[in-house]
Every structure is written in C-alpha cells, then in structure tokens.
Amino acid sequence: MLESAQALITKTAEKMQLDGEMIKRLIEPEFAHEFALTITMDSGKKKVFKGWRIQHNSALGPYKGGIRFHFETVREEVQALATLMSIKCAVAGLPYGGGKGGIVVDPKKLSKTELERLSRAFANRIAHVIGEDIDVPAPDVNTDSKIMAWMLDEYEKLKGMHAPAAITGKPIALHGSKAREFSTSMGGAYVLQ
C-alpha cells in the first residue's frame, strides 16, 4: 500500500516535471511518531501495544486523519494512509494536510475499561503534536465517537483547557457533527454519482 501511494505521487510529480528533491518532500512524511503504550489490563497485568501517528504533509494546513485500532495495523499502512489523506485533501481543495494514526490491537478482545485506558494512553502520547491548528485526529477503523470522547477528555486534561476542535468524530454533546456517522458513506455516494 505504501509503495502504491508513493508510486502514484512519483508518477504524477514526474509528469508535472517536479525535481527529485520536491518528489522526496512529497513522498516522505514530515513527522513519524512511533511509540509503545503500556496499559494495565483488568487482570492487573501490564500489556504493551504498538502505536503510530504519522504526519505526512502540512503544506495546505493542519494534518487531518483518522486513528485506527486493528490487529494487523503496521507502520507502512499508517504512513500510506497519511500520504493518501494529503492527496485526498489537496484534490478536494480542503485546507488540511494528511495524517493518520494506528494501534496494533483487536479492540473486540478488550473490555470497555481496557479500551478506555488504551484510548487515553494514545491521546496522552500524541497530545504534544496535535491540536486544532496542528493535527486533528478523527475516528477510523474500529474507533468511534466514544473513543474520540475519551481522547478529547484526556487531551483537554493535559492541556488544561476546553478544546473541542482538537479532535473530530466526537458525540454531538461534545460539539460533534450530526453527519459524522454517515459522512464517509455519503461522500462515497456523491463521488459515485
């Protein structure tokens, strides 16, 4: 997936006669945050989860992209998706760059409290590199408004301020969007029409 995204950028950039250094700038992420998240399971035992937040390109504005929780997530996938978010935002004329996050986990195997601990640990780890003018995370595979609410709460505790624009995909009561639950499928329908 990463090779495909990079090949797409390279092919297009070469057709536009961009120089090699510009192509490298478009391919490589500006920042790649990789970390281990250690949480206490309900059993009392500690468990380590691998996580990433890739910030691909901010030339058009703050990074924007989802956070996925999946047992097959790998860094290359997260980087490829961040790259594709940059392209998607640029093509759509949106004032955002591309970002993406992920944790290697099967959330279906976690209790609600374990899932909350993991979500808060992730938010804690990326809090210094996100915010409404820097990077705005959103839900993706196996993440939802409840998880985004936990992440926002953790972010606001760390920052000591109310910051609803720092994370999207939250419940409506936390300044979320009424269209969030179906916006991706609706966008797909518009594109197909």
Side-chain angles (χ1 to χ4, degrees):
M1 179 184 245
L2 178 58
E3 289 176 6
S4 296
Q6 291 175 336
L8 174 65
I9 291 172
T10 301
K11 183 178 176 182
T12 304
E14 287 172 350
K15 284 183 180 179
M16 296 173 65
Q17 300 180 336
L18 299 180
D19 66 57
E21 289 304 310
M22 178 58 82
I23 293 171
K24 284 182 196 174
R25 187 171 163 226
L26 293 172
I27 287 176
E28 291 299 319
E30 292 173 349
F31 298 99
H33 309 280
E34 184 171 323
F35 39 82
L37 302 166
T38 304
I39 68 162
T40 303
M41 305 302 283
D42 291 345
S43 66
K45 292 185 178 185
K46 302 278 188 192
K47 187 166 182 178
V48 178
F49 297 88
K50 187 76 167 180
W52 300 270
R53 184 67 182 175
I54 306 290
Q55 296 167 318
H56 177 259
N57 191 293
S58 62
L60 297 178
Y63 307 103
K64 182 79 180 95
I67 298 169
R68 57 184 42 215
F69 287 7
H70 197 275
F71 61 93
E72 292 182 335
T73 297
V74 293
R75 183 194 189 277
E76 291 77 14
E77 174 194 46
V78 177
Q79 182 175 333
L81 293 168
T83 302
L84 293 171
M85 279 300 296
S86 292
I87 294 169
K88 189 164 49 171
C89 290
V91 168
L94 300 174
Y96 292 105
K100 200 60 124 177
I103 299 176
V104 183
V105 62
D106 183 351
K108 294 176 180 89
K109 293 184 177 179
L110 299 181
S111 71
K112 182 180 176 184
T113 55
E114 290 168 340
L115 185 59
E116 180 176 355
R117 285 185 209 118
L118 182 62
S119 300
R120 288 180 179 278
F122 187 86
N124 188 295
R125 192 55 61 92
I126 65 170
H128 68 290
V129 296
I130 66 169
E132 67 181 278
D133 296 321
I134 303 166
D135 182 348
V136 184
D140 196 72
V141 174
N142 292 323
T143 54
D144 58 18
S145 61
K146 175 179 55 187
I147 289 171
M148 295 299 110
W150 291 330
M151 288 187 181
L152 178 64
D153 183 61
E154 189 68 20
Y155 176 82
E156 289 179 339
K157 284 179 185 175
L158 290 166
K159 295 294 183 177
M161 62 184 206
H162 183 57
I167 293 178
T168 61
K170 311 168 298 288
I172 293 169
L174 296 176
H175 305 282
S177 169
K178 290 180 182 178
R180 180 65 190 110
E181 294 298 320
F182 56 86
S183 60
T184 301
S185 57
M186 186 169 62
Y190 287 150
V191 168
L192 290 173
Q193 286 177 347

PDB file of all heavy atoms in Angstrom, residues 9-11 18 30 32 60 83 89 91 103 107 121 126-128 131 134-135 138 142 150 169 173 176 178 187:
ATOM      1  N   ILE A   9       2.385   9.282  -6.343  1.00  0.00           N
ATOM      2  CA  ILE A   9       2.938  10.629  -6.190  1.00  0.00           C
ATOM      3  C   ILE A   9       4.110  10.840  -7.144  1.00  0.00           C
ATOM      4  O   ILE A   9       4.198  11.865  -7.831  1.00  0.00           O
ATOM      5  CB  ILE A   9       3.369  10.886  -4.731  1.00  0.00           C
ATOM      6  CG1 ILE A   9       2.140  10.968  -3.836  1.00  0.00           C
ATOM      7  CG2 ILE A   9       4.197  12.163  -4.628  1.00  0.00           C
ATOM      8  CD1 ILE A   9       2.456  11.021  -2.354  1.00  0.00           C
ATOM      9  N   THR A  10       5.016   9.869  -7.212  1.00  0.00           N
ATOM     10  CA  THR A  10       6.200   9.983  -8.068  1.00  0.00           C
ATOM     11  C   THR A  10       5.804  10.128  -9.537  1.00  0.00           C
ATOM     12  O   THR A  10       6.303  11.021 -10.242  1.00  0.00           O
ATOM     13  CB  THR A  10       7.122   8.761  -7.875  1.00  0.00           C
ATOM     14  OG1 THR A  10       7.513   8.705  -6.497  1.00  0.00           O
ATOM     15  CG2 THR A  10       8.363   8.858  -8.755  1.00  0.00           C
ATOM     16  N   LYS A  11       4.896   9.278  -9.988  1.00  0.00           N
ATOM     17  CA  LYS A  11       4.465   9.319 -11.394  1.00  0.00           C
ATOM     18  C   LYS A  11       3.830  10.672 -11.734  1.00  0.00           C
ATOM     19  O   LYS A  11       4.152  11.284 -12.747  1.00  0.00           O
ATOM     20  CB  LYS A  11       3.470   8.184 -11.644  1.00  0.00           C
ATOM     21  CG  LYS A  11       3.009   8.066 -13.067  1.00  0.00           C
ATOM     22  CD  LYS A  11       2.055   6.879 -13.219  1.00  0.00           C
ATOM     23  CE  LYS A  11       1.490   6.805 -14.624  1.00  0.00           C
ATOM     24  NZ  LYS A  11       0.535   5.707 -14.775  1.00  0.00           N
ATOM     25  N   LEU A  18       8.419  17.991 -11.723  1.00  0.00           N
ATOM     26  CA  LEU A  18       8.969  18.425 -10.444  1.00  0.00           C
ATOM     27  C   LEU A  18      10.344  17.789 -10.264  1.00  0.00           C
ATOM     28  O   LEU A  18      10.578  16.668 -10.712  1.00  0.00           O
ATOM     29  CB  LEU A  18       8.048  18.030  -9.286  1.00  0.00           C
ATOM     30  CG  LEU A  18       6.643  18.622  -9.306  1.00  0.00           C
ATOM     31  CD1 LEU A  18       5.854  18.132  -8.104  1.00  0.00           C
ATOM     32  CD2 LEU A  18       6.679  20.147  -9.322  1.00  0.00           C
ATOM     33  N   GLU A  30       6.477  14.340   7.090  1.00  0.00           N
ATOM     34  CA  GLU A  30       7.197  15.370   7.837  1.00  0.00           C
ATOM     35  C   GLU A  30       7.572  14.866   9.228  1.00  0.00           C
ATOM     36  O   GLU A  30       8.655  15.163   9.735  1.00  0.00           O
ATOM     37  CB  GLU A  30       6.342  16.635   7.923  1.00  0.00           C
ATOM     38  CG  GLU A  30       6.165  17.291   6.567  1.00  0.00           C
ATOM     39  CD  GLU A  30       5.185  18.456   6.551  1.00  0.00           C
ATOM     40  OE1 GLU A  30       4.443  18.679   7.525  1.00  0.00           O
ATOM     41  OE2 GLU A  30       5.154  19.148   5.521  1.00  0.00           O
ATOM     42  N   ALA A  32       7.044  11.234  11.895  1.00  0.00           N
ATOM     43  CA  ALA A  32       6.553   9.878  12.132  1.00  0.00           C
ATOM     44  C   ALA A  32       6.771   9.568  13.612  1.00  0.00           C
ATOM     45  O   ALA A  32       7.903   9.390  14.056  1.00  0.00           O
ATOM     46  CB  ALA A  32       7.284   8.874  11.259  1.00  0.00           C
ATOM     47  N   LEU A  60      -0.840  22.498   3.079  1.00  0.00           N
ATOM     48  CA  LEU A  60      -2.149  23.134   2.895  1.00  0.00           C
ATOM     49  C   LEU A  60      -2.837  23.492   4.205  1.00  0.00           C
ATOM     50  O   LEU A  60      -3.857  24.176   4.201  1.00  0.00           O
ATOM     51  CB  LEU A  60      -3.065  22.226   2.068  1.00  0.00           C
ATOM     52  CG  LEU A  60      -2.604  21.948   0.640  1.00  0.00           C
ATOM     53  CD1 LEU A  60      -3.567  20.993  -0.056  1.00  0.00           C
ATOM     54  CD2 LEU A  60      -2.467  23.242  -0.144  1.00  0.00           C
ATOM     55  N   THR A  83      -0.333   9.566   3.712  1.00  0.00           N
ATOM     56  CA  THR A  83       0.028  10.085   2.393  1.00  0.00           C
ATOM     57  C   THR A  83      -1.222  10.282   1.537  1.00  0.00           C
ATOM     58  O   THR A  83      -1.405  11.333   0.915  1.00  0.00           O
ATOM     59  CB  THR A  83       1.003   9.113   1.689  1.00  0.00           C
ATOM     60  OG1 THR A  83       2.160   8.946   2.514  1.00  0.00           O
ATOM     61  CG2 THR A  83       1.415   9.621   0.315  1.00  0.00           C
ATOM     62  N   CYS A  89      -7.116  15.472   0.531  1.00  0.00           N
ATOM     63  CA  CYS A  89      -7.429  16.855   0.933  1.00  0.00           C
ATOM     64  C   CYS A  89      -7.053  17.845  -0.164  1.00  0.00           C
ATOM     65  O   CYS A  89      -7.799  18.787  -0.445  1.00  0.00           O
ATOM     66  CB  CYS A  89      -6.722  17.205   2.240  1.00  0.00           C
ATOM     67  SG  CYS A  89      -7.394  16.348   3.672  1.00  0.00           S
ATOM     68  N   VAL A  91      -6.802  17.277  -3.475  1.00  0.00           N
ATOM     69  CA  VAL A  91      -7.708  17.122  -4.617  1.00  0.00           C
ATOM     70  C   VAL A  91      -9.073  17.738  -4.319  1.00  0.00           C
ATOM     71  O   VAL A  91      -9.696  18.357  -5.187  1.00  0.00           O
ATOM     72  CB  VAL A  91      -7.847  15.626  -4.997  1.00  0.00           C
ATOM     73  CG1 VAL A  91      -8.979  15.397  -5.975  1.00  0.00           C
ATOM     74  CG2 VAL A  91      -6.535  15.109  -5.578  1.00  0.00           C
ATOM     75  N   ILE A 103      -3.054   1.794  16.166  1.00  0.00           N
ATOM     76  CA  ILE A 103      -2.562   0.950  17.251  1.00  0.00           C
ATOM     77  C   ILE A 103      -2.774  -0.497  16.835  1.00  0.00           C
ATOM     78  O   ILE A 103      -3.830  -0.854  16.302  1.00  0.00           O
ATOM     79  CB  ILE A 103      -3.313   1.203  18.571  1.00  0.00           C
ATOM     80  CG1 ILE A 103      -3.156   2.642  19.039  1.00  0.00           C
ATOM     81  CG2 ILE A 103      -2.826   0.239  19.663  1.00  0.00           C
ATOM     82  CD1 ILE A 103      -3.959   2.981  20.287  1.00  0.00           C
ATOM     83  N   PRO A 107      -9.609  -4.514  19.257  1.00  0.00           N
ATOM     84  CA  PRO A 107     -10.397  -3.888  20.315  1.00  0.00           C
ATOM     85  C   PRO A 107     -11.543  -4.772  20.825  1.00  0.00           C
ATOM     86  O   PRO A 107     -12.019  -4.581  21.935  1.00  0.00           O
ATOM     87  CB  PRO A 107     -10.927  -2.613  19.670  1.00  0.00           C
ATOM     88  CG  PRO A 107     -10.863  -2.862  18.208  1.00  0.00           C
ATOM     89  CD  PRO A 107      -9.720  -3.799  17.991  1.00  0.00           C
ATOM     90  N   ALA A 121      -4.287   6.508  26.760  1.00  0.00           N
ATOM     91  CA  ALA A 121      -2.827   6.411  26.652  1.00  0.00           C
ATOM     92  C   ALA A 121      -2.355   6.929  25.295  1.00  0.00           C
ATOM     93  O   ALA A 121      -1.343   7.638  25.198  1.00  0.00           O
ATOM     94  CB  ALA A 121      -2.377   4.967  26.851  1.00  0.00           C
ATOM     95  N   ILE A 126       0.174  11.475  22.089  1.00  0.00           N
ATOM     96  CA  ILE A 126       0.220  12.384  20.933  1.00  0.00           C
ATOM     97  C   ILE A 126      -0.215  13.813  21.265  1.00  0.00           C
ATOM     98  O   ILE A 126      -0.166  14.681  20.400  1.00  0.00           O
ATOM     99  CB  ILE A 126      -0.619  11.842  19.753  1.00  0.00           C
ATOM    100  CG1 ILE A 126      -2.108  11.789  20.084  1.00  0.00           C
ATOM    101  CG2 ILE A 126      -0.080  10.502  19.274  1.00  0.00           C
ATOM    102  CD1 ILE A 126      -3.018  11.498  18.905  1.00  0.00           C
ATOM    103  N   ALA A 127      -0.592  14.070  22.505  1.00  0.00           N
ATOM    104  CA  ALA A 127      -1.144  15.386  22.877  1.00  0.00           C
ATOM    105  C   ALA A 127      -0.225  16.548  22.519  1.00  0.00           C
ATOM    106  O   ALA A 127      -0.698  17.621  22.142  1.00  0.00           O
ATOM    107  CB  ALA A 127      -1.469  15.422  24.368  1.00  0.00           C
ATOM    108  N   HIS A 128       1.072  16.337  22.587  1.00  0.00           N
ATOM    109  CA  HIS A 128       2.013  17.429  22.295  1.00  0.00           C
ATOM    110  C   HIS A 128       2.175  17.711  20.797  1.00  0.00           C
ATOM    111  O   HIS A 128       2.784  18.704  20.423  1.00  0.00           O
ATOM    112  CB  HIS A 128       3.378  17.134  22.933  1.00  0.00           C
ATOM    113  CG  HIS A 128       4.101  15.980  22.310  1.00  0.00           C
ATOM    114  ND1 HIS A 128       3.690  14.669  22.456  1.00  0.00           N
ATOM    115  CD2 HIS A 128       5.193  15.950  21.520  1.00  0.00           C
ATOM    116  CE1 HIS A 128       4.513  13.876  21.792  1.00  0.00           C
ATOM    117  NE2 HIS A 128       5.436  14.631  21.215  1.00  0.00           N
ATOM    118  N   GLY A 131      -3.728  19.223  17.847  1.00  0.00           N
ATOM    119  CA  GLY A 131      -4.458  20.429  18.227  1.00  0.00           C
ATOM    120  C   GLY A 131      -5.098  21.000  16.979  1.00  0.00           C
ATOM    121  O   GLY A 131      -4.712  20.666  15.855  1.00  0.00           O
ATOM    122  N   ILE A 134      -2.734  22.198  14.409  1.00  0.00           N
ATOM    123  CA  ILE A 134      -1.554  21.370  14.175  1.00  0.00           C
ATOM    124  C   ILE A 134      -1.930  20.063  13.486  1.00  0.00           C
ATOM    125  O   ILE A 134      -1.440  19.743  12.417  1.00  0.00           O
ATOM    126  CB  ILE A 134      -0.834  21.045  15.508  1.00  0.00           C
ATOM    127  CG1 ILE A 134      -0.466  22.332  16.231  1.00  0.00           C
ATOM    128  CG2 ILE A 134       0.385  20.172  15.269  1.00  0.00           C
ATOM    129  CD1 ILE A 134      -0.075  22.121  17.683  1.00  0.00           C
ATOM    130  N   ASP A 135      -2.783  19.286  14.137  1.00  0.00           N
ATOM    131  CA  ASP A 135      -3.163  17.955  13.670  1.00  0.00           C
ATOM    132  C   ASP A 135      -4.482  17.614  14.343  1.00  0.00           C
ATOM    133  O   ASP A 135      -4.584  17.681  15.570  1.00  0.00           O
ATOM    134  CB  ASP A 135      -2.077  16.953  14.058  1.00  0.00           C
ATOM    135  CG  ASP A 135      -2.342  15.532  13.580  1.00  0.00           C
ATOM    136  OD1 ASP A 135      -3.474  15.233  13.139  1.00  0.00           O
ATOM    137  OD2 ASP A 135      -1.421  14.706  13.678  1.00  0.00           O
ATOM    138  N   ALA A 138      -9.257  11.917  14.001  1.00  0.00           N
ATOM    139  CA  ALA A 138     -10.656  11.552  13.788  1.00  0.00           C
ATOM    140  C   ALA A 138     -10.788  10.037  13.949  1.00  0.00           C
ATOM    141  O   ALA A 138      -9.785   9.330  14.016  1.00  0.00           O
ATOM    142  CB  ALA A 138     -11.071  11.961  12.376  1.00  0.00           C
ATOM    143  N   ASN A 142     -12.470   0.693  13.574  1.00  0.00           N
ATOM    144  CA  ASN A 142     -12.657   0.249  14.964  1.00  0.00           C
ATOM    145  C   ASN A 142     -12.538   1.358  16.006  1.00  0.00           C
ATOM    146  O   ASN A 142     -12.326   1.077  17.192  1.00  0.00           O
ATOM    147  CB  ASN A 142     -11.706  -0.895  15.328  1.00  0.00           C
ATOM    148  CG  ASN A 142     -12.036  -2.169  14.595  1.00  0.00           C
ATOM    149  OD1 ASN A 142     -13.201  -2.489  14.370  1.00  0.00           O
ATOM    150  ND2 ASN A 142     -11.024  -2.910  14.203  1.00  0.00           N
ATOM    151  N   TRP A 150     -13.138   9.979  24.774  1.00  0.00           N
ATOM    152  CA  TRP A 150     -12.093   9.685  25.772  1.00  0.00           C
ATOM    153  C   TRP A 150     -10.799  10.402  25.415  1.00  0.00           C
ATOM    154  O   TRP A 150     -10.127  10.959  26.279  1.00  0.00           O
ATOM    155  CB  TRP A 150     -11.830   8.181  25.853  1.00  0.00           C
ATOM    156  CG  TRP A 150     -12.934   7.368  26.448  1.00  0.00           C
ATOM    157  CD1 TRP A 150     -13.838   7.769  27.404  1.00  0.00           C
ATOM    158  CD2 TRP A 150     -13.261   6.018  26.128  1.00  0.00           C
ATOM    159  NE1 TRP A 150     -14.695   6.732  27.696  1.00  0.00           N
ATOM    160  CE2 TRP A 150     -14.364   5.638  26.933  1.00  0.00           C
ATOM    161  CE3 TRP A 150     -12.730   5.077  25.250  1.00  0.00           C
ATOM    162  CZ2 TRP A 150     -14.932   4.381  26.884  1.00  0.00           C
ATOM    163  CZ3 TRP A 150     -13.294   3.816  25.191  1.00  0.00           C
ATOM    164  CH2 TRP A 150     -14.379   3.475  26.000  1.00  0.00           C
ATOM    165  N   GLY A 169     -15.185  13.741  15.224  1.00  0.00           N
ATOM    166  CA  GLY A 169     -15.820  12.440  15.378  1.00  0.00           C
ATOM    167  C   GLY A 169     -16.342  12.189  16.773  1.00  0.00           C
ATOM    168  O   GLY A 169     -16.614  11.056  17.157  1.00  0.00           O
ATOM    169  N   ALA A 173     -22.987  15.911  21.843  1.00  0.00           N
ATOM    170  CA  ALA A 173     -22.949  16.645  23.113  1.00  0.00           C
ATOM    171  C   ALA A 173     -21.583  17.294  23.370  1.00  0.00           C
ATOM    172  O   ALA A 173     -21.478  18.243  24.146  1.00  0.00           O
ATOM    173  CB  ALA A 173     -23.301  15.714  24.270  1.00  0.00           C
ATOM    174  N   GLY A 176     -19.769  17.509  18.489  1.00  0.00           N
ATOM    175  CA  GLY A 176     -19.578  16.664  17.316  1.00  0.00           C
ATOM    176  C   GLY A 176     -20.551  17.053  16.213  1.00  0.00           C
ATOM    177  O   GLY A 176     -21.433  17.887  16.408  1.00  0.00           O
ATOM    178  N   LYS A 178     -23.540  16.163  13.455  1.00  0.00           N
ATOM    179  CA  LYS A 178     -24.674  15.254  13.279  1.00  0.00           C
ATOM    180  C   LYS A 178     -24.460  14.316  12.096  1.00  0.00           C
ATOM    181  O   LYS A 178     -24.995  13.218  12.077  1.00  0.00           O
ATOM    182  CB  LYS A 178     -25.967  16.058  13.079  1.00  0.00           C
ATOM    183  CG  LYS A 178     -26.423  16.783  14.314  1.00  0.00           C
ATOM    184  CD  LYS A 178     -27.712  17.552  14.063  1.00  0.00           C
ATOM    185  CE  LYS A 178     -28.124  18.307  15.320  1.00  0.00           C
ATOM    186  NZ  LYS A 178     -29.342  19.094  15.096  1.00  0.00           N
ATOM    187  N   GLY A 187     -20.218  10.661   1.310  1.00  0.00           N
ATOM    188  CA  GLY A 187     -19.202  11.169   0.393  1.00  0.00           C
ATOM    189  C   GLY A 187     -18.912  10.179  -0.725  1.00  0.00           C
ATOM    190  O   GLY A 187     -18.780  10.568  -1.892  1.00  0.00           O
TER     191      GLY A 187
END
